[in-house]
Amino acid sequence: MKPKHPSTHPLLPPTTEDDRVSWLRLLRSYRVGPSTFYRMLAEHGSAAAALAALPEVAAKAGVKDYEIYAETRAREELQLGAAMGAKLLCYGAADYPLDLSETNDAPPLVWALGDVSLLRRRMIGLVGARNASSLGLRMAKALSADLSERGFVITSGLARGIDAAAHQAALKGGTVAVLAGGADVIYPAENTHLHGALRDAGLILSERPFGLQPKARDFPRRNRIISGLSKALVVVEAAGRSGSLITARTALDQGREVLAVPGHPFDARSGGCNMLIRDGARLVRNGEDVVEALPPEAPEPQQVAEPPQQQPSLRETNLLHQQILNRLGPSPLAEDQLIRDLGASPQSILPLLTDLEMEGALLRQPGGLLSLNMSPGSAHAEKRQDA
């Protein structure tokens, strides 16, 4: 079952360059991720109004001397994108991928380099180990070519190993690479030629600014887009602890079908795939197995108007803040589960989550997960040390 549209997502995309600048400034501002972006937009009606309110929101959350992302930097990003021939895909626009828009933390803005018409076709995610075996690479190429011939676009992450093999085999039929850094940043360097081929015959996507070198924390964020674009996710080779398994968990959270290619029990590179199959993932031998596993297309969900909510008092707000923090810990918890546990309406809890995120008390992770911020220097880390 597909996740429903988050009710706080904006209904209309930006239509002018000034609107796009405001969207970029809001999204690139400190501690503003996709969820906070959508909530600010829903609460204030426009990105420009949200920007005007952002310093006050940050001040209430205890962030002093808050600086909004500079307008000059946002305009430079738009100009650089235009010079590179890139297209800025905005949530709610006709060219924004529908499947991705239905995920809980869909990126508000995505840079696209290449053939954006590929986003209108059905997509299958194919990921796996960087240090892939010879058999794993052959399987990735065979699966990718088979699914490509059946009309599917192959999505992956342009990493070495399984990702690169999947892209290479699907270049003729259509393939999309989602990058953890900027769309113009080639990582790893050995995929320079493949990056160029994708720009010419496929598509490169990134939610990050141009020129940004990827860091470890950027890859889980990237992975949610790979699975969010896809009807199903296939894992070819993956160790017991790997980024591919993170992608598989995110795909499950997004309501996607997860499939895995089995491997020899003695090969650590197959440990993750074998675990997925043990836990209920479909076993894959060929493209036909993938096609048979695809769920039927579901109708668009109906939006239901909700009655206006009364503003809580300061005492009630403080109490809810404490209740939220008491229920969170270092281990991630699904946002929907937190709201159910609190027994309150989403409309009363979502703005408070924004406050706590701006304050730095909680962290957001891919897949709509929340956890306490236990990093050194945070309030909760200090409290734990004092305890």
Side-chain angles (χ1 to χ4, degrees):
M1 187 174 69
K2 291 182 180 178
K4 63 181 180 180
H5 275 66
S7 60
T8 51
H9 277 197
L11 296 177
L12 297 175
T15 55
T16 67
E17 181 168 336
D18 285 344
D19 289 340
R20 286 187 283 274
V21 167
S22 294
W23 272 46
L24 268 175
R25 292 183 68 198
L26 181 59
L27 185 61
R28 304 283 189 240
S29 289
Y30 180 58
R31 284 183 177 168
V32 177
S35 296
T36 299
F37 176 94
Y38 290 126
R39 285 171 193 155
M40 291 288 291
L41 215 57
E43 290 170 14
H44 300 283
S46 70
L51 283 170
L54 191 54
E56 183 180 353
V57 173
K60 289 180 178 178
V63 182
K64 298 179 179 179
D65 302 323
Y66 187 88
E67 292 187 9
I68 299 170
Y69 193 78
E71 180 179 347
T72 53
R73 295 181 67 185
R75 291 194 182 276
E76 286 171 0
E77 185 173 344
L78 288 178
Q79 291 167 3
L80 181 57
M84 295 178 62
K87 186 169 186 179
L88 187 62
L89 308 178
C90 306
Y91 181 91
D95 55 5
Y96 192 96
L98 178 60
D99 284 327
L100 183 60
S101 73
E102 293 177 340
T103 60
N104 288 329
D105 49 2
L109 298 168
V110 181
W111 281 109
L113 275 171
D115 183 5
V116 294
S117 70
L118 293 175
L119 298 174
R120 296 196 293 269
R121 293 168 51 191
R122 296 179 301 168
M123 289 181 258
I124 300 291
L126 203 157
V127 297
R130 288 177 170 82
N131 62 331
S133 68
S134 177
L135 280 174
L137 292 173
R138 286 168 54 192
M139 185 63 178
K141 290 175 182 177
L143 267 178
S144 183
D146 188 356
L147 291 167
S148 184
E149 289 174 3
R150 294 170 185 268
F152 291 96
V153 172
I154 301 301
T155 64
S156 198
L158 198 60
R160 64 171 58 94
I162 297 298
D163 289 21
H167 287 307
Q168 193 69 52
L171 272 173
K172 185 177 178 180
T175 182
V176 175
V178 186
L179 306 191
D184 59 330
V185 175
I186 302 172
Y187 181 87
E190 67 196 61
N191 283 340
T192 298
H193 178 74
L194 183 55
H195 185 280
L198 281 159
R199 288 188 61 171
D200 294 337
L203 182 64
I204 296 171
L205 298 179
S206 175
E207 65 176 328
R208 310 296 279 159
F210 293 109
L212 181 75
Q213 294 290 332
K215 297 181 180 179
R217 64 175 179 268
D218 295 319
F219 290 93
R221 293 179 52 168
R222 180 275 308 269
N223 294 346
R224 85 188 196 283
I225 300 178
I226 295 174
S227 55
L229 287 165
S230 307
K231 298 291 186 185
L233 181 79
V234 182
V235 184
V236 176
E237 276 187 341
R241 291 175 176 268
S242 65
S244 297
L245 289 194
I246 295 174
T247 311
R249 287 194 292 270
T250 302
L252 289 171
D253 289 338
Q254 294 169 334
R256 306 299 191 251
E257 190 72 34
V258 173
L259 307 94
V261 175
H264 196 284
F266 289 167
D267 189 343
R269 288 169 295 196
S270 296
C273 290
N274 293 338
M275 285 167 54
L276 287 172
I277 294 169
R278 179 200 65 189
D279 294 340
R282 289 215 185 200
L283 185 149
V284 172
R285 301 163 299 173
N286 49 44
E288 183 64 29
D289 288 338
V290 179
V291 175
E292 288 178 357
L294 293 178
E297 291 296 320
E300 283 294 302
Q302 298 294 318
Q303 297 294 325
V304 179
E306 302 201 16
Q309 301 289 317
Q310 254 190 332
Q311 291 296 322
S313 67
L314 182 60
R315 182 177 178 278
E316 291 171 332
T317 299
N318 290 335
L319 180 60
L320 281 172
H321 274 158
Q322 195 56 52
Q323 288 176 341
I324 291 169
L325 296 175
N326 287 343
R327 292 202 177 255
L328 291 176
S331 299
L333 175 69
E335 182 180 292
D336 291 347
Q337 184 62 52
L338 172 65
I339 293 172
R340 286 195 295 269
D341 289 346
L342 291 169
S345 69
Q347 289 74 22
S348 64
I349 298 300
L350 296 179
L352 302 184
L353 295 178
T354 300
D355 294 341
L356 292 171
E357 184 179 12
M358 294 296 298
E359 181 184 338
L362 63 81
L363 297 175
R364 289 193 176 276
Q365 302 184 29
L369 301 177
L370 305 170
S371 65
L372 281 181
N373 183 3
M374 305 302 295
S375 59
S378 69
H380 293 288
E382 292 171 0
K383 285 180 182 178
R384 175 162 287 192
Q385 291 173 357
D386 294 340

